[in-house]
Amino acid sequence: MRSVRTISAVDSHTEGMPTRVVTGGVAPVPGDTMAERRRHAMEHLDPLRRFLVDEPRGHPAMSGAILQPPTRPDADWGVLYIEVSGFLPMCGHGTIGVATVLVETGMVTVTEPETLVRLDTPAGLVEARVTVRDGVAEKVTLRNVDAFALELDAKVTVPGLGEVRYDMAYGGNFYAVVDLASLGLPFDRARKDDILAAGLAISGAVDAHNPPVHPADPMIRGCKHVQFLAPGSDARHSRNAMAIQPGWFDRSPCGTGTCARMAQLHARGELALDTEFINESFIGTRFTGRLVGTSEVAGVPAVVPEFSGRAWITGTANYLLDPADPFPNGFVL
């Protein structure tokens, strides 16, 4: 067995969505903040991302997190988030996976019944409260970065769909929130190809005509996610099909998408603070969220979101690169 690269990881899934947590084999990435490290990774480490998430080691809906030393004294670990679309500022389901892995592998000091894990992310500090019993992470509650609605009742002309109305909200990534019924499509997994095609067309049109930009960090920009709402979705219980560039669905309810949805509902006056909100995925798994306060992001009214879910460890592995491998960076079919 030959290898010119060995990367250790603990694989998990959060309510159905995978997170490959890289625990060894990647040196500290240059940068004084995790945002700077993300920028460096985007510019120099994309082959590493592809090696981990693309085929043959990954698949078209793969995502992961690379553990790093923190850049701030109030954090336990730094995290760089990876998926098939690139390096993300933040990933909710991935953070639940990271917190679960850190607790169940003993990479943080564990206390029962609750362990607090502070994570340094490119989007800011994220706190994970892990409910622990007999060494098992039974639930993770994240206090995420501030979320906000950037636009309400925006419109974009989409080839093949005509004029589409959407709200643009941020919860660690940007999300175009669209009522699926307005496109004449049912919330039905049998129509997933049509729903995905609509999502890719909408996100492409938004980025071509009105790309969102974070008011405090211009490196966070663009719309890769379209959150299609099922009929009957409201401020108590929402169901979504999350279509993501370059062409896949989130299997989980989407953590940062849950935060964006709560911010959008709050901006519309539909979701009060300290009110339970259930967000359900396309496969029926759930996150439970609430807004615990208000804030401001570079002059934009914002909210402080929390949400809870669970992850399960699915395996451990060393991912190798044979020097004769014809696909050293993986491939996309």
Side-chain angles (χ1 to χ4, degrees):
M1 183 172 64
R2 305 175 300 173
S3 180
V4 295
R5 166 185 280 171
T6 303
I7 294 179
S8 301
V10 180
D11 285 356
S12 65
H13 81 83
T14 303
E15 306 294 351
M17 188 64 196
T19 308
R20 176 161 292 160
V21 183
V22 175
T23 57
V26 178
V29 176
D32 292 333
T33 66
M34 291 307 299
E36 290 181 6
R37 290 180 178 178
R38 173 178 177 252
R39 180 169 59 246
H40 178 92
M42 292 168 67
E43 294 172 352
H44 302 288
L45 299 180
D46 204 54
L48 170 65
R49 176 192 66 83
R50 292 166 55 201
F51 174 86
L52 289 164
V53 301
D54 286 343
E55 295 183 68
R57 297 168 192 84
H59 52 76
M62 192 67 196
S63 67
I66 301 173
L67 295 180
Q68 291 277 289
T71 65
R72 48 191 296 168
D74 56 349
D76 300 298
W77 285 91
V79 188
L80 288 173
Y81 299 100
I82 56 175
E83 66 173 29
V84 293
S85 66
F87 289 88
L88 297 180
M90 173 56 190
C91 179
H93 92 268
T95 304
I96 289 178
V98 166
T100 298
V101 167
L102 291 174
V103 166
E104 295 198 0
T105 60
M107 296 178 70
V108 293
T109 301
V110 178
T111 59
E112 298 191 15
E114 184 175 272
T115 297
L116 178 63
V117 181
R118 297 179 177 88
L119 297 170
D120 186 8
T121 83
L125 184 70
V126 174
E127 291 188 350
R129 301 193 307 273
V130 186
T131 301
V132 186
R133 183 168 61 179
D134 298 328
V136 175
E138 294 190 328
K139 182 177 74 171
V140 180
T141 298
L142 298 185
R143 175 163 293 189
N144 195 14
V145 297
D146 293 347
F148 54 87
L150 190 66
E151 289 186 278
L152 299 178
D153 295 317
K155 298 177 183 178
V156 65
T157 299
V158 182
L161 297 176
E163 186 177 85
V164 174
R165 184 185 298 269
Y166 67 95
D167 292 343
M168 182 60 65
Y170 176 82
N173 297 286
F174 280 111
Y175 294 84
V177 183
V178 178
D179 284 321
L180 185 58
S182 70
L183 305 182
L185 288 170
F187 190 77
D188 185 343
R189 285 162 62 181
R191 297 291 299 277
K192 65 181 185 301
D193 292 342
D194 296 327
I195 297 170
L196 183 59
L200 299 182
I202 291 169
S203 62
V206 168
D207 274 352
H209 299 288
N210 188 25
V213 180
H214 194 285
D217 184 355
M219 279 292 294
I220 302 175
R221 61 191 305 124
C223 175
K224 295 179 180 178
H225 304 75
V226 177
Q227 186 168 173
F228 286 118
L229 304 179
S233 294
D234 57 25
R236 291 182 300 173
H237 183 187
S238 186
R239 296 184 297 152
N240 79 85
M242 187 68 73
I244 306 175
Q245 292 282 0
W248 55 286
F249 287 106
D250 199 325
R251 276 66 171 160
S252 81
C254 189
T256 54
T258 296
C259 297
R261 172 72 166 137
M262 290 192 292
Q264 176 238 6
L265 288 166
H266 183 78
R268 287 189 166 279
E270 299 175 22
L271 180 63
L273 299 182
D274 298 313
T275 303
E276 184 175 277
F277 169 72
I278 296 172
N279 202 23
E280 185 175 321
S281 75
F282 209 12
I283 66 170
T285 55
R286 295 182 174 189
F287 286 152
T288 301
R290 68 178 60 242
L291 302 175
V292 298
T294 58
S295 59
E296 185 178 285
V297 177
V300 177
V303 288
V304 182
E306 291 189 348
F307 69 95
S308 301
R310 187 170 182 185
W312 294 263
I313 291 176
T314 58
T316 61
N318 289 323
Y319 293 97
L320 310 179
L321 176 60
D322 188 295
D325 191 331
F327 306 109
N329 299 327
F331 63 87
V332 175
L333 181 61

